[in-house]
Amino acid sequence: MSYGANMFPMTFAGGSRGKWHVEQSSAISGPALTRVERVDAVPAHFQPDAAVWALRGVAGHARYVQAAEKVTLDAISPPLGRPEAARAALIPIRKTAAWWALSQDERRAIFEARSRHVSSTLKYLPRIARRLYHARDLGEEFDFLTWFEFASEHIAAFDELVGMLRRTEEWSFVEREVDLRLVLTV
Amino acid sequence: MSYGANMFPMTFAGGSRGKWHVEQSSAISGPALTRVERVDAVPAHFQPDAAVWALRGVAGHARYVQAAEKVTLDAISPPLGRPEAARAALIPIRKTAAWWALSQDERRAIFEARSRHVSSTLKYLPRIARRLYHARDLGEEFDFLTWFEFASEHIAAFDELVGMLRRTEEWSFVEREVDLRLVLTV
């Protein structure tokens, strides 16, 4: 296995290593992940020796975003790794069999026409950097690993963002969700 | 790793084992695959000991098909494994970086509005069973492994189908394609 350009494999390893300290770990839907002290984010796929758990995903092309939305998103999305972004959230998600049985146009309609996943989140983006790792095709226990980075002063905005998404129709198709809040350590 | 219901992991192993005898192997675009005698189709992901090459993919939800198309497709698509289907084709495909940089609506427009990938292939489907395995997220050398099964009397129809697809705009985004024709042995 080897990933080409514009594909970003990632392993999030939970255990006692890594620069991200786990401040809080909440099971939003379904079973929790075993509580760990730290998360190590390693840009490759492997099975870490000492980890309590390891979640793998790969970021690549967008699955629902349309051309006009992509222009808007690209213009306002900050990069990962900003020095002021000392906070992160790792939110692994699994959607129901009913979601995956829908056709592309039905999933898109729920995603944007009815849940406004893009348009209602735009106002948060200049403050919150994010990357979506796909895990379903890898046979992982979650379908997606969502990753967010922000400064401490934007914690409330981030809480507002995830609270809003959890009230959408799209989220009625989420059967497992764990919300890990992380703090950068030096 | 473990795959849930409605996901079908597959390893196609090229070598001296398996019930599919390789009748022909053609490099349509880009490098060929090493010529082998047989292909073993194993419904799991693993690294076969004795294989010359191994291609892995996973079949799951459709990425472009719309609800109305799905109803039509489901009604006329034959199952895999029909006793009369003694012929198969394994056609691994990789698309260009330009394809993957497009947004979902742009890819869908090329796929169906301009290339008629669904509508122009419908008439072949009662004769040809097929399954699309996704390989891109796995870090494989191909993005898709396309698999077709048909009776000997429908070889000409299958040749017509792939010839037509290769003349579409969608195929201008294919940078590597190998066409393996297989015969079932007992």
Side-chain angles (χ1 to χ4, degrees), chain B residues 47 76 92 133 163 170 182:
Chain B
Q47 181 59 52
I76 62 168
Y133 297 93
E170 185 189 351
L182 310 170

PDB file of all heavy atoms in Angstrom, chain B residues 47 76 92 133 163 170 182:
ATOM      1  N   GLN B  47      -2.600 -10.982   2.148  1.00  0.00           N
ATOM      2  CA  GLN B  47      -1.484 -11.027   1.211  1.00  0.00           C
ATOM      3  C   GLN B  47      -1.215 -12.494   0.901  1.00  0.00           C
ATOM      4  O   GLN B  47      -0.632 -13.205   1.717  1.00  0.00           O
ATOM      5  CB  GLN B  47      -0.256 -10.340   1.807  1.00  0.00           C
ATOM      6  CG  GLN B  47       0.947 -10.320   0.890  1.00  0.00           C
ATOM      7  CD  GLN B  47       0.674  -9.615  -0.436  1.00  0.00           C
ATOM      8  OE1 GLN B  47       0.194  -8.483  -0.455  1.00  0.00           O
ATOM      9  NE2 GLN B  47       0.937 -10.294  -1.551  1.00  0.00           N
ATOM     10  N   ILE B  76     -32.908  -4.864 -13.052  1.00  0.00           N
ATOM     11  CA  ILE B  76     -32.424  -5.614 -14.218  1.00  0.00           C
ATOM     12  C   ILE B  76     -31.040  -6.233 -14.018  1.00  0.00           C
ATOM     13  O   ILE B  76     -30.558  -6.943 -14.890  1.00  0.00           O
ATOM     14  CB  ILE B  76     -32.393  -4.737 -15.488  1.00  0.00           C
ATOM     15  CG1 ILE B  76     -31.429  -3.554 -15.332  1.00  0.00           C
ATOM     16  CG2 ILE B  76     -33.790  -4.265 -15.858  1.00  0.00           C
ATOM     17  CD1 ILE B  76     -31.162  -2.853 -16.651  1.00  0.00           C
ATOM     18  N   PRO B  92      -9.049  -3.538 -13.725  1.00  0.00           N
ATOM     19  CA  PRO B  92      -8.634  -2.537 -12.739  1.00  0.00           C
ATOM     20  C   PRO B  92      -8.382  -1.193 -13.428  1.00  0.00           C
ATOM     21  O   PRO B  92      -7.825  -1.153 -14.531  1.00  0.00           O
ATOM     22  CB  PRO B  92      -7.335  -3.104 -12.160  1.00  0.00           C
ATOM     23  CG  PRO B  92      -7.068  -4.388 -12.860  1.00  0.00           C
ATOM     24  CD  PRO B  92      -7.970  -4.494 -14.028  1.00  0.00           C
ATOM     25  N   TYR B 133     -15.491  -2.773  -7.069  1.00  0.00           N
ATOM     26  CA  TYR B 133     -14.730  -2.738  -5.830  1.00  0.00           C
ATOM     27  C   TYR B 133     -13.919  -1.441  -5.778  1.00  0.00           C
ATOM     28  O   TYR B 133     -13.184  -1.140  -6.719  1.00  0.00           O
ATOM     29  CB  TYR B 133     -13.786  -3.952  -5.748  1.00  0.00           C
ATOM     30  CG  TYR B 133     -14.523  -5.271  -5.711  1.00  0.00           C
ATOM     31  CD1 TYR B 133     -14.791  -5.974  -6.884  1.00  0.00           C
ATOM     32  CD2 TYR B 133     -14.982  -5.792  -4.507  1.00  0.00           C
ATOM     33  CE1 TYR B 133     -15.494  -7.181  -6.857  1.00  0.00           C
ATOM     34  CE2 TYR B 133     -15.679  -6.997  -4.467  1.00  0.00           C
ATOM     35  CZ  TYR B 133     -15.931  -7.679  -5.650  1.00  0.00           C
ATOM     36  OH  TYR B 133     -16.628  -8.868  -5.621  1.00  0.00           O
ATOM     37  N   GLY B 163     -16.012  -1.062 -25.161  1.00  0.00           N
ATOM     38  CA  GLY B 163     -15.577  -0.180 -26.252  1.00  0.00           C
ATOM     39  C   GLY B 163     -16.297   1.163 -26.188  1.00  0.00           C
ATOM     40  O   GLY B 163     -15.686   2.237 -26.323  1.00  0.00           O
ATOM     41  N   GLU B 170     -15.744  10.522 -19.738  1.00  0.00           N
ATOM     42  CA  GLU B 170     -15.297   9.986 -18.439  1.00  0.00           C
ATOM     43  C   GLU B 170     -13.957   9.255 -18.598  1.00  0.00           C
ATOM     44  O   GLU B 170     -13.074   9.382 -17.744  1.00  0.00           O
ATOM     45  CB  GLU B 170     -16.349   9.036 -17.857  1.00  0.00           C
ATOM     46  CG  GLU B 170     -15.987   8.559 -16.447  1.00  0.00           C
ATOM     47  CD  GLU B 170     -16.901   7.447 -15.914  1.00  0.00           C
ATOM     48  OE1 GLU B 170     -17.930   7.138 -16.542  1.00  0.00           O
ATOM     49  OE2 GLU B 170     -16.543   6.881 -14.867  1.00  0.00           O
ATOM     50  N   LEU B 182     -11.131 -13.774 -18.418  1.00  0.00           N
ATOM     51  CA  LEU B 182     -11.003 -14.998 -17.633  1.00  0.00           C
ATOM     52  C   LEU B 182     -12.033 -16.038 -18.049  1.00  0.00           C
ATOM     53  O   LEU B 182     -13.147 -15.691 -18.448  1.00  0.00           O
ATOM     54  CB  LEU B 182     -11.204 -14.657 -16.145  1.00  0.00           C
ATOM     55  CG  LEU B 182     -10.367 -13.488 -15.606  1.00  0.00           C
ATOM     56  CD1 LEU B 182     -10.825 -13.094 -14.211  1.00  0.00           C
ATOM     57  CD2 LEU B 182      -8.890 -13.825 -15.603  1.00  0.00           C
TER      58      LEU B 182
END
